[in-house]
Amino acid sequence: MRHSWNQLRRLHKTWIIANRQLQLTRFLSCVHHHNYISLPSSWSLVRYYSSNNNGKIPKDFDSLIATTKDETIQNINKDEWGDIGEELTGKKLTKEELLPKANNSGVNCDLITGEERRYANLNQTPSEHVACTVEMSSITQPYEVAVIDEIQMVRDPERGWAWTRALLGIAAEEIHLCGEKAALNLIIELLSTTGETVEVKEYKRLTKLTVEGNALETLENVQPGDCIVCFSKRDIYNVSLKLERMGYNVATIYGTLPPATKLIQSNKFNDPQDPCNVLVATDAIGMGLNLSIRRIIFHSLIKPTFNSKNEKTLDVIPVSQALQIAGRAGRFNTQYSEGYVTTFKSEDLQILKDVLASSIDEIEAAGLHPTLDQIEMFSFLLPSATLSNLLDIFISLSQLNAHYFMCNIESIKFLAGILEHIPLPLRARYVFCCAPVDNKSNFVCAMFLKYARQFANNQPMTVNWLCQTLKLPFHQPHNMSELDHLLSVYDCFDLYLWLSYRFPDVFLDQELVRNVQRKLDDVIMEGVLNITKLLRASGISHLGQNRGQSRSTNPLTTNPPRYNNKQVNMFLNQTNDIDNSTESSSTNYEIPYVKKLNGN
């Protein structure tokens, strides 16, 4: 899409004027609102920090008792919450743990995530307290107390904008921020622009954490209470299968499992009466779970990550993540009064010691993200531009100071490319492209495209239509391919529920779909409980190995393809004639099992 230089100059000038007006409007609104709720002269930044980023806040905490790294509120009582309160974190799993604790203590607390609204009151009316994911936080509802957990996530290249929005937008008389000390100077700087002063409180870990002098070296040295942390499903599967063959009862937790399944696995591991006393997990345990772990064992210190160009790189785990994961051992109020950490390989042990002894780099900038209103303003001047074009132009013209950065929008642009030829209003298109879609799963992407087609044709999507499309009923998985397929189907249900709160007139059967998803969750849970049987049925010779990929391939030189127009067009061609496609199976357990959908 080409635009004349004069068009871009006029657009840039209009953007600068509109942006200044928007900032002034927000500032005046903020001042007016804070006067209305009698905001005190200083906000309270509750700094909960220790050298290993873990522990519990002492009971003399004057407002509420919170933990930082597991993103939960502990020992809640009505006086501590205040009359109106909100707790924001980044994990849906956190809310599953927080909600019963609050409600059982006599504090009615609602749950809000992108896919769910759960009310404590029987009449389904909102209560005065809410636990929500940070993306779902309200910046218009007044609160007495708000708690924003994991504030260091403002640096996250994908989701940092949500923490920035909550930090600067939450309308509360008192705000408590929990997170790494590395974020402190940036937070103070950001709040100084609104004329606020910050109160800092530091807390030390209440239990001892020791780095052992020897590596594990062999699984025969595994002890009860051990958690082996892996950074790939392939390693999780291999380690779990070997431990099972040695007679251990193993719990398994990794990121793509449903929240309820993760909780079942964690409760199984935490229960002293349960024979399961060894946990194999990814770094998903670093946030959102309370686990009774005696020793953390890093199976490897090399973690695959994606850089700003969406290229896969392999590097030593960052200091902050190493501290966060290691700190899960020997947590306060668990059955272990002291925690230990080591590595599986002896050559990694000194590296781990160096990493844990290193200081965390200070966070220098907080993430931002273009809003729908801003993109719509651009579309008025460029009516023929696609959503991807509008996003690119917006970012190219944006001028940010040193304290902010623009979050990665490649996933939004990828989904926008998929929907480019579907006639949707800009507002609906933008909402669809912000949906939680696993771009690596062809199955989920195909279902996403089907949802958009149905929506564009104004065809209601009922539970019967969804069950027929996803080929119910579900059966117990017999191998890992079938389990991975069920996980992808679960993601499709999540996507339906997420869209149902944005487009309730088309995604009609919200509660009925949720009931079906719960039944699917039970099937997945049973499969995970028997994961070693599924691994044996699948064979382990191809674990984590892409079809046609040589075992000798050097992962350090292997980068996944970046999203581009050619890739999107290839995907569209594959899913455009879905009726004629056939089922296929895969032995690649790193990428969800792909099963073509019937449909348009």
Side-chain angles (χ1 to χ4, degrees):
M1 181 68 62
R2 292 186 175 181
H3 308 285
S4 68
W5 175 245
N6 289 333
Q7 277 184 303
L8 291 178
R9 289 182 61 186
R10 289 196 301 271
L11 180 61
H12 191 195
K13 184 176 180 180
T14 303
W15 159 240
I16 292 176
I17 295 174
N19 188 44
R20 288 174 178 170
Q21 291 175 342
L22 180 62
Q23 289 177 346
L24 178 61
T25 301
R26 287 176 174 172
F27 176 75
L28 294 176
S29 174
C30 182
V31 171
H32 171 75
H33 181 67
H34 285 170
N35 289 335
Y36 174 75
I37 63 174
S38 302
L39 183 70
S41 59
S42 64
W43 289 4
S44 174
L45 172 66
V46 178
R47 178 62 204 116
Y48 174 28
Y49 172 76
S50 65
S51 60
N52 49 26
N53 286 353
N54 193 42
K56 297 286 182 181
I57 289 181
K59 292 187 178 181
D60 61 356
F61 187 12
D62 55 3
S63 293
L64 71 168
I65 299 177
T67 65
T68 301
K69 294 308 164 189
D70 57 3
E71 301 179 316
T72 57
I73 302 299
Q74 301 286 350
N75 304 329
I76 299 174
N77 63 59
K78 196 167 185 177
D79 293 334
E80 290 170 335
W81 265 99
D83 291 334
I84 303 176
E86 180 179 44
E87 197 268 343
L88 317 173
T89 71
K91 292 283 187 179
K92 291 186 288 185
L93 188 56
T94 303
K95 312 304 167 296
E96 297 286 349
E97 292 190 308
L98 171 63
L99 207 65
K101 291 179 182 179
N103 291 325
N104 291 340
S105 65
V107 178
N108 285 348
C109 183
D110 298 336
L111 169 79
I112 297 179
T113 70
E115 301 83 12
E116 186 173 10
R117 311 287 188 275
R118 195 185 305 173
Y119 297 103
N121 296 327
L122 296 179
N123 60 2
Q124 298 300 295
T125 58
S127 59
E128 292 183 334
H129 305 89
V130 60
C132 63
T133 50
V134 68
E135 286 88 350
M136 297 304 298
S137 59
S138 171
I139 58 175
T140 58
Q141 170 68 40
Y143 297 103
E144 288 189 0
V145 178
V147 180
I148 306 176
D149 202 3
E150 305 291 352
I151 191 61
Q152 76 278 358
M153 289 290 287
V154 294
R155 70 181 168 200
D156 188 83
E158 303 287 341
R159 301 173 62 199
W161 62 269
W163 274 265
T164 306
R165 171 180 173 272
L167 172 67
L168 299 177
I170 292 295
E173 296 182 28
E174 184 173 319
I175 298 179
H176 293 262
L177 309 175
C178 304
E180 295 176 6
K181 192 173 184 179
L184 180 57
N185 290 336
L186 174 63
I187 297 303
I188 293 175
E189 181 65 31
L190 295 183
L191 295 182
S192 68
T193 61
T194 60
E196 305 294 343
T197 57
V198 179
E199 178 185 352
V200 181
K201 296 184 180 180
E202 293 195 21
Y203 297 92
K204 300 297 182 181
R205 180 184 170 97
L206 299 182
T207 59
K208 184 179 179 181
L209 181 67
T210 303
V211 181
E212 294 188 328
N214 298 310
L216 191 71
E217 294 186 347
T218 173
L219 293 178
E220 294 178 355
N221 294 328
V222 167
Q223 300 174 9
D226 282 352
C227 172
I228 302 177
V229 177
C230 308
F231 294 121
S232 72
K233 286 185 184 179
R234 176 188 59 193
D235 290 338
I236 282 185
Y237 296 156
N238 280 324
V239 171
S240 299
L241 191 55
K242 290 177 181 178
L243 287 172
E244 191 267 347
R245 287 173 175 171
M246 295 168 63
Y248 289 97
N249 193 319
V250 181
T252 306
I253 297 176
Y254 52 91
T256 56
L257 293 178
T261 302
K262 292 179 185 176
L263 277 179
I264 291 295
Q265 290 288 290
S266 64
N267 293 337
K268 177 183 174 184
F269 173 74
N270 288 341
D271 186 358
Q273 307 302 320
D274 195 288
C276 173
N277 54 18
V278 176
L279 175 64
V280 181
T282 63
D283 55 341
I285 65 166
M287 299 171 96
L289 278 173
N290 281 319
L291 293 164
S292 183
I293 298 172
R294 175 185 172 273
R295 178 171 62 172
I296 289 287
I297 302 165
F298 286 91
H299 189 264
S300 171
L301 294 178
I302 303 299
K303 180 182 178 181
T305 58
F306 289 89
N307 59 24
S308 59
K309 297 180 180 179
N310 210 42
E311 297 171 340
K312 188 175 182 179
T313 60
L314 296 177
D315 204 351
V316 176
I317 181 174
V319 176
S320 60
Q321 292 186 24
L323 290 168
Q324 193 167 43
I325 296 171
R328 310 305 290 184
R331 291 178 63 80
F332 184 70
N333 270 346
T334 66
Q335 58 180 306
Y336 302 109
S337 60
E338 184 174 355
Y340 301 89
V341 59
T342 187
T343 59
F344 185 80
K345 303 172 185 176
S346 57
E347 59 266 27
D348 287 343
L349 186 56
Q350 186 57 49
I351 300 175
L352 176 64
K353 292 180 180 179
D354 294 340
V355 169
L356 296 180
S358 303
S359 59
I360 304 177
D361 294 336
E362 285 201 5
I363 301 173
E364 298 179 349
L368 295 176
H369 192 281
T371 66
L372 175 56
D373 291 337
Q374 292 166 336
I375 297 302
E376 277 191 322
M377 181 187 67
F378 271 59
S379 69
F380 293 147
L381 295 175
L382 302 171
S384 60
T386 65
L387 178 56
S388 293
N389 292 146
L390 293 173
L391 290 169
D392 285 335
I393 295 171
F394 178 91
I395 291 177
S396 66
L397 295 179
S398 296
Q399 297 180 6
L400 305 178
N401 66 32
H403 299 306
Y404 296 97
F405 70 92
M406 193 65 68
C407 287
N408 191 335
I409 61 169
E410 287 300 315
S411 60
I412 295 180
K413 291 172 60 179
F414 175 70
L415 297 179
I418 292 177
L419 302 183
E420 184 173 343
H421 301 293
I422 295 182
L424 292 172
L426 178 62
R427 183 168 287 269
R429 186 181 303 276
Y430 183 90
V431 172
F432 263 87
C433 292
C434 291
V437 178
D438 181 4
N439 294 343
K440 298 185 293 295
S441 171
N442 288 345
F443 183 87
V444 178
C445 287
M447 198 64 196
F448 169 76
L449 181 60
K450 184 178 291 294
Y451 286 150
R453 284 174 174 167
Q454 293 285 112
F455 180 87
N457 295 329
N458 200 26
Q459 296 179 356
M461 283 163 273
T462 64
V463 66
N464 290 333
W465 172 87
L466 186 62
C467 291
Q468 182 179 5
T469 303
L470 295 175
K471 297 186 180 301
L472 268 67
F474 304 118
H475 302 288
Q476 290 293 336
H478 297 95
N479 52 53
M480 291 305 302
S481 291
E482 294 181 3
L483 176 61
D484 284 340
H485 171 63
L486 291 179
L487 292 174
S488 293
V489 173
Y490 187 93
D491 289 343
C492 293
F493 279 105
D494 258 357
L495 179 56
Y496 180 100
L497 293 172
W498 191 92
L499 291 168
S500 71
Y501 285 104
R502 282 78 182 170
F503 307 108
D505 294 338
V506 180
F507 295 85
L508 301 175
D509 295 337
Q510 187 180 97
E511 288 306 314
L512 293 175
V513 169
R514 196 182 308 281
N515 291 335
V516 176
Q517 187 187 39
R518 291 193 185 104
K519 295 179 180 179
L520 173 59
D521 199 355
D522 293 338
V523 176
I524 293 174
M525 199 177 303
E526 188 65 27
V528 174
L529 290 173
N530 297 284
I531 194 168
T532 52
K533 295 180 181 179
L534 304 185
L535 290 170
R536 287 197 301 270
S538 303
I540 64 171
S541 59
H542 298 292
L543 283 181
Q545 183 178 348
N546 293 338
R547 187 180 296 178
Q549 176 183 342
S550 170
R551 286 181 173 271
S552 61
T553 301
N554 182 359
L556 292 172
T557 61
T558 304
N559 294 328
R562 294 184 61 189
Y563 303 139
N564 51 50
N565 291 334
K566 183 177 180 181
Q567 180 187 12
V568 171
N569 290 334
M570 289 176 61
F571 173 80
L572 289 172
N573 291 334
Q574 291 172 1
T575 58
N576 200 32
D577 191 17
I578 252 169
D579 277 331
N580 299 324
S581 60
T582 58
E583 297 182 6
S584 61
S585 62
S586 172
T587 56
N588 174 16
Y589 303 139
E590 295 286 7
I591 300 176
Y593 172 77
V594 177
K595 185 177 181 182
K596 299 298 184 181
L597 303 172
N598 289 329
N600 298 330

